[in-house]
Amino acid sequence: MTALLPALTAQARLRARHSDDCACSDPHGVLADRPDATVVRHAQVVAKAHAPGTPELTLTARLAAAAHPDLADTLLAPLSPRPDRLHDRLVTLWPHGTPVDRDDPDAAPWEAVAALLARLHRTPPTRFQAALPPMRGPEKAARAVARMRAAAPHPAASPVERAWAVLPPWARDEAPYPGPAHLCHGDLHLGQLVRAPEGRWLLIDIDDLGTGNPAWDLARPAAWYACGLLLPEEWTSFLNAYRAAGGPAVPADGADPWPALDVPARALTVQTAALAIAKAVAGERALDEVEETLVDACRRMAAVPPDLAPTCAK
């Protein structure tokens, strides 16, 4: 990581100078520095080093999808059509966008993200020249459970394991999704949204982009709402905007959306709870109030099979 960071910064600076004659005083800095991603900014250019072992063909197919004209109003387009390689890591370049203000949760653009998701889900995967892989939502949920298991034993792990066990195999990344495959983001949350210089909101982060169940992209806000972590009016605004934009993940006629959202929302709840437990063990700390809420939700979910009404749905 020590050698990668300055090389990545230099690449962002070089691209910025070629594109707009930036000055050394322009905004720059490290946006993220984790084992799975290192992201830096110089002026209006962002450079991202993807996770070690990322397949080049897969990432290139995802880049091509993000650059496709059909998604110009949905996904932030990359600055280069193919990844570069630095210190054995694949690197992509992007224009800088303004993220959602974390200090102003009341201004969260739920309607905007819902409309973006609907457009993404309505785009036929066959539009793209290179075939896209399955979206990585279930894979990330399975990795979170594996990370919890690798941590020291924790008393909260048992209800999370039970909630995980009652999910169908496709949601645990043990089988392909059996339904119609739509284009999906794969890891939707408000951190995956930026405002472009011209003012429109766009989705970012294509690492999990692919085909699968579009309800997975609605699962995190659905789980938050069901567990009391998202206000009912915010959930309603999000869901209504998604339906108004023609999103295919839930019935368009106002019918109960939970039969479609139940399994993905449960899987995202398990994923979030499992990661919370793993981080609590690593930090040698107790679970906080929100993390306890997620574990309690897993306890209730484990008691009712997912083909019944969600136990924590409002």
Side-chain angles (χ1 to χ4, degrees):
M1 197 68 69
T2 303
L4 173 65
L5 194 54
L8 192 64
T9 302
Q11 186 157 348
R13 184 183 298 115
L14 180 63
R15 178 56 187 253
R17 286 177 175 169
H18 285 171
S19 61
D20 58 11
D21 296 323
C22 73
C24 293
S25 59
D26 282 343
H28 63 277
V30 179
L31 303 182
D33 191 4
R34 308 185 307 269
D36 65 330
T38 300
V39 186
V40 302
R41 174 193 180 186
H42 188 87
Q44 297 305 307
V45 174
V46 172
K48 177 176 182 177
H50 296 259
T54 297
E56 185 169 356
L57 287 177
T58 299
L59 181 57
T60 301
R62 288 175 166 138
L63 283 173
H68 197 279
D70 285 357
L71 294 177
D73 293 327
T74 307
L75 289 174
L76 187 70
L79 294 175
S80 299
R82 300 188 63 85
D84 294 322
R85 190 174 291 274
L86 284 176
H87 297 276
D88 206 31
R89 297 277 291 276
L90 294 177
V91 172
T92 53
L93 298 174
W94 306 85
H96 178 262
T98 304
V100 175
D101 187 354
R102 295 184 179 181
D103 296 327
D104 188 10
D106 293 337
W110 287 111
E111 293 184 0
V113 71
L116 289 170
L117 281 181
R119 286 205 296 269
L120 184 72
H121 295 163
R122 293 198 326 264
T123 303
T126 53
R127 293 279 177 86
F128 311 118
Q129 184 174 1
L132 286 167
M135 65 93 173
R136 296 176 64 231
E139 177 187 336
K140 295 187 79 169
R143 282 168 41 200
V145 172
R147 181 174 169 182
M148 178 186 71
R149 291 170 177 168
H154 193 284
S158 179
V160 177
E161 289 279 10
R162 293 198 303 271
W164 180 247
V166 300
L167 291 173
W170 71 264
R172 300 196 307 264
D173 197 38
E174 296 174 1
Y177 173 59
H182 292 258
L183 183 61
C184 304
H185 183 275
D187 187 30
L188 193 280
H189 53 81
L190 289 178
Q192 309 287 35
L193 199 67
V194 297
R195 193 183 289 278
E198 63 270 23
R200 57 182 174 164
W201 289 107
L202 294 170
L203 295 171
I204 62 169
D205 192 353
I206 60 167
D207 291 78
D208 304 309
L209 185 74
T211 58
N213 181 359
W216 198 279
D217 285 342
L218 281 67
R220 187 173 272 111
W224 289 350
Y225 160 69
C227 298
L229 302 176
L230 184 67
L231 293 175
E233 53 267 32
E234 292 176 320
W235 166 248
T236 300
S237 174
F238 173 81
L239 184 62
N240 288 345
Y242 181 82
R243 280 174 157 159
V250 296
D253 58 3
D256 182 7
W258 280 106
L261 297 174
D262 183 21
V263 167
R266 287 169 179 256
L268 261 294
T269 302
V270 170
Q271 175 181 327
T272 310
L275 287 176
I277 291 170
K279 291 177 181 179
V281 170
E284 299 182 338
R285 61 169 178 82
L287 296 175
D288 63 26
E289 184 178 355
V290 170
E291 292 166 341
E292 289 283 6
T293 297
L294 293 165
V295 173
D296 287 343
C298 289
R299 187 174 290 108
R300 296 191 298 273
M301 290 189 303
V304 180
D307 57 336
L308 302 180
T311 57
C312 60
K314 301 298 183 185

